[in-house]
């Protein structure tokens, strides 16, 4: 597996990013705040209306460094994408599969199989770790429901049927999500998913972390030569990174949700870092966002054994490994796409 | 004899990839994937020196031509020779822009030392066959120069070697036509391969994803 390089998060809106030789230079006003060699970077994410020089954008595109701009609150704005890389045969095969509903369903089934399998594992794992504190019977029931859904998913005949099973499973999974929160329960609760805008602290965190994951997944797809905009389960919608969203499905709960829960349960985040607007929309303050980014960066460094490849790698490389496996499936090396089935 | 169109020419340098591993060749030449590692970067540096685009010099009766672009319509390949020496001799051939007759001798530069497989030699022979077709001559011998040993190694271009070159290039064209990336048996040479991360050699070991999924399902029930 390749080496995991660093991601730079720029959180102050008054910084300007530029290129000097082989370095990224972060300027704040007229002073140089930091200088980092590009060859150590795999990703740059700027929050707020930070400026960047065209020279830096070009250098990033050339070196395959993903450069994304987010709003201050973490909403995705844009990505710098360079010249389309070679591998035209891979892209054409991807488009052909995407146009074929039967083939698309087969691939989408495995994304969703992974999502439900991992969701079930998150619940099972919590039940085992906190058996004294959790309503084991309630959780067990959901876990059994999800296990049943796995079978249905594999036998679904089209995307609509699959979306149905996916929706039901998500409802089941999120019905016990609040149970997994064991600390600071009066301030961090979950009564359902909402995102435009997030209406509680947990949803605000989930949205933010999903954005980070989407950036990483889209960048991974780009790196292996796949088109992140052409999906199988998520159909084409101009400007939407449908394939990145597809690939993310199996990673949401096991990678992002579990991360959010641990931030709350370990009291890494604190309720005072969240503000509510007049309409109920929740915003995080800069410190909280920085804390989350730091923790996310640490999580990326943690080593695991990939369940299919049986190879040790960092969490941060999992989107890349899955993108790679998807590319190799599309090129005919594998009989199916192997989702990331966490144990 | 069939002839290839220029747009169907494959790269001569691919012979070396192909002889090392057919899958590696397909990843680079069909899928257009490439990853630099220490070995490839060192190779580039060495070649920069050898090529020095189009620069020729004359030493006594020998013209040393660097970075000569060559092709063969019958093989359907093109590429660049590191060095072609043109030795003045009575039974040579006419060379563009020079007086007298010359005998061409291609020399290929490699970073390391002579290899166990004959990948380098096949590529060198391919170059010579291009030159033969372009200059209407026969080339009986050529040389390998290895960066590690700093020695020239004389290669006799016999019929058996030429036949192998033709076979290899033929197979390359067939795969390219199908845009097919073959699976290969993983071997210890995978460790030295700059494309191992992209190739994922274990995927060639008949790994069944449907079994992986079925096993996970069983364990969940």
């Amino acid at each position: 597996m390749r080496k995991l390089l660093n991601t730079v998060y720029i959180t102050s809106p008054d910084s300007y990013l530029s290129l000097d030789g082989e370095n990224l230079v972060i300027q704040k006003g007229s002073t140089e705040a930091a200088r980092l060699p590009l060859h150590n970077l795999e990703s740059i994410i700027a929050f707020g209306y930070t400026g960047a020089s065209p020279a830096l954008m070009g250098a990033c595109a050339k070196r395959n460094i993903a450069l994304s701009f987010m709003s201050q609150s973490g909403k995705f704005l844009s990505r710098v994408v360079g010249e389309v890389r070679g591998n035209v045969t891979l892209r054409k095969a991807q488009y052909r599969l995407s146009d074929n509903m039967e083939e698309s369903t087969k691939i989408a089934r495995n994304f969703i199989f992974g999502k439900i399998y991992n969701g079930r594992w998150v619940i099972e794992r919590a039940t085992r770790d906190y058996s004294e504190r959790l309503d084991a019977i309630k959780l067990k029931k959901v876990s059994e429901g999800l296990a049943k859904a796995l079978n249905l998913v594999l036998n679904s005949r089209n995307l609509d049927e699959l979306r149905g099973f996916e929706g039901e499973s998500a409802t089941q999974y999120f019905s016990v999500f609040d149970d997994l929160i064991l600390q600071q329960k009066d301030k961090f609760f979950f009564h359902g998913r909402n995102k435009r805008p997030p209406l509680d602290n947990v949803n605000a965190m989930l949205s933010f972390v999903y954005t980070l994951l989407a950036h990483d997944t889209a960048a991974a797809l780009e790196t292996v030569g796949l088109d992140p905009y052409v999906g199988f389960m998520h159909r084409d919608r101009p400007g939407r990174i449908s394939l990145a969203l597809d690939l993310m499905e199996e990673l949401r709960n096991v990678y992002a949700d579990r991360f959010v829960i641990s931030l709350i349960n370990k009291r890494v985040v604190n309720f005072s870092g969240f503000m509510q607007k007049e309409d109920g929309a929740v915003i995080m303050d800069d410190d909280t966002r920085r804390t989350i980014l730091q923790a996310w960066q640490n999580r990326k460094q943690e080593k695991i054994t990939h369940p299919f490849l049986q190879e040790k790698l960092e969490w941060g490389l999992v989107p890349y490994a899955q993108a790679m496996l998807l590319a190799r499936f599309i090129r005919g090396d594998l009989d199916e796409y192997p989702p990331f089935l966490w144990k | 004899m069939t002839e290839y169109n220029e747009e169907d020419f494959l790269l001569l340098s691919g012979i070396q990839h192909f002889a090392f591993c057919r899958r590696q060749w397909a990843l680079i030449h069909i899928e257009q994937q490439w990853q630099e590692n220490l070995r490839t970067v060192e190779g580039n540096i060495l070649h920069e020196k050898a090529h020095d685009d189009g620069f020729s010099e004359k030493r006594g009766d020998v013209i040393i031509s660097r970075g000569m672009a060559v092709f063969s319509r019958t093989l359907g390949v093109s590429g660049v020779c590191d060095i072609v020496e043109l030795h003045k001799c009575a039974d040579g051939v006419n060379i563009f822009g020079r007086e007298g007759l010359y005998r061409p001798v291609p020399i290929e530069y490699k970073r390391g030392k002579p290899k166990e497989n004959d990948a380098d030699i096949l590529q060198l022979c391919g170059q010579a066959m291009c030159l033969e077709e372009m200059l209407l001559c026969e080339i009986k011998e050529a040389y390998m120069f290895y960066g590690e040993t700093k020695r020239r190694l004389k290669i006799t271009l016999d019929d058996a070697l030429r036949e192998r070159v033709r076979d290899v290039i033929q197979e390359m064209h067939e795969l390219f036509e199908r845009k097919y990336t073959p699976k290969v048996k993983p071997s210890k040479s995978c460790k030295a391969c700059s494309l191992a991360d992209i190739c994922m050699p274990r995927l060639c070991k008949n790994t069944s994803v449907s079994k992986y999924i079925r096993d996970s399902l069983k364990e969940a029930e």
Side-chain angles (χ1 to χ4, degrees), chain B residues 94-141:
Chain B
N94 280 312
I95 298 293
F96 179 80
R98 302 273 183 181
E99 264 177 46
L101 299 174
Y102 291 88
R103 183 168 55 89
V105 182
I107 297 147
E108 177 66 10
Y109 276 62
K110 292 290 172 205
R111 186 191 64 96
K113 48 182 184 236
K115 299 186 183 66
E116 279 168 38
N117 63 45
D118 50 6
D120 295 344
I121 293 163
L122 287 169
Q123 189 184 324
L124 177 66
C125 182
Q127 288 177 11
M129 289 164 79
C130 287
L131 278 168
E132 287 180 328
E133 201 174 302
M134 293 171 78
L135 299 172
L136 301 171
C137 64
E138 195 187 343
I139 300 173
K140 294 198 176 103
E141 54 206 34

Side-chain angles (χ1 to χ4, degrees), chain A residues 1-2 87 89 110 113 117 120 147 150-151 307-309 324 328 331 333 335-339 341, chain B residues 23 27 30-33 179 181 183 197-198 200 202-203 207-210 212-213 216-217 219-221:
Chain A
M1 198 46 64
R2 65 182 254 261
N87 217 351
T89 50
N110 288 7
F113 183 89
Y117 182 95
R120 182 178 170 273
L150 286 175
N151 241 320
F308 181 74
L309 292 169
M324 199 69 147
R328 292 325 311 167
R331 289 294 291 142
D333 287 342
D335 52 334
E336 285 182 60
Y337 163 72
L341 303 177
Chain B
R23 186 173 168 86
L27 289 170
I30 297 177
E31 300 196 15
Q32 305 278 306
Q33 311 210 52
K179 305 282 184 287
T181 304
K183 292 188 179 189
D197 289 349
I198 290 165
M200 304 184 129
R202 11 176 344 124
L203 302 191
T207 322
S208 160
V209 177
S210 55
Y212 164 72
I213 291 177
S216 303
L217 188 62
E219 169 254 331
E221 274 165 353

Side-chain angles (χ1 to χ4, degrees), chain A residues 83-224:
Chain A
E83 195 186 344
V84 173
R85 261 154 231 286
N87 217 351
V88 62
T89 50
L90 172 66
R91 271 172 200 257
K92 284 201 79 172
Q94 176 192 355
Y95 298 155
R96 276 195 294 271
L97 285 177
S98 168
D99 278 341
N100 180 327
M101 285 304 148
E102 210 173 309
E103 294 300 321
S104 289
T105 307
K106 281 190 203 160
I107 303 174
R109 276 199 308 232
N110 288 7
F111 291 137
I112 299 306
F113 183 89
K115 178 178 187 168
I116 299 175
Y117 182 95
N118 289 336
R120 182 178 170 273
W121 181 84
V122 168
I123 292 168
E124 285 280 326
R125 177 73 184 260
T127 319
R128 222 181 318 145
D129 288 356
Y130 305 105
S131 53
E132 306 299 312
R133 301 195 50 177
L134 292 172
D135 182 349
I137 294 167
K138 181 178 168 195
L139 293 181
K140 199 78 209 157
K141 220 178 125 215
V142 171
S143 166
E144 278 164 15
L146 294 179
K148 273 202 201 90
L150 286 175
N151 241 320
L152 297 171
V153 161
L154 286 189
N155 293 313
S156 51
R157 286 157 303 182
N158 54 53
L159 287 176
D160 282 337
E161 212 174 278
L162 183 60
R163 285 196 192 97
F165 297 135
E166 196 261 330
E168 282 164 35
S169 306
T171 309
Q172 287 196 55
Y173 167 78
F174 277 127
S175 75
V176 292
F177 197 71
D178 193 52
D179 294 58
L180 307 182
I181 299 166
L182 298 169
Q183 302 287 342
Q184 319 185 68
K185 277 199 85 95
D186 52 334
K187 299 291 179 188
F188 291 91
F189 45 79
F190 184 89
H191 303 316
R193 180 85 182 106
N194 47 59
K195 43 196 161 179
R196 290 195 189 106
L199 299 171
D200 57 61
N201 299 351
V202 175
N203 272 296
M205 289 169 78
L206 284 177
S207 287
F208 184 63
V209 173
Y210 288 161
T211 315
L212 298 178
L213 185 55
H215 163 92
D216 288 352
T217 312
L221 289 166
E222 204 97 57
T223 309
V224 306

Side-chain angles (χ1 to χ4, degrees), chain B residues 14-33:
Chain B
I15 294 178
Q16 205 214 340
H17 301 137
F18 195 87
F20 174 73
C21 167
R22 294 151 81 234
R23 186 173 168 86
Q24 191 204 50
W25 173 81
L27 289 170
I28 298 169
H29 295 263
I30 297 177
E31 300 196 15
Q32 305 278 306
Q33 311 210 52

Side-chain angles (χ1 to χ4, degrees), chain A residues 58-69:
Chain A
C60 288
K62 206 170 139 202
R63 289 170 184 75
N64 237 332
I65 298 169
L67 172 60
S68 289
F69 298 96

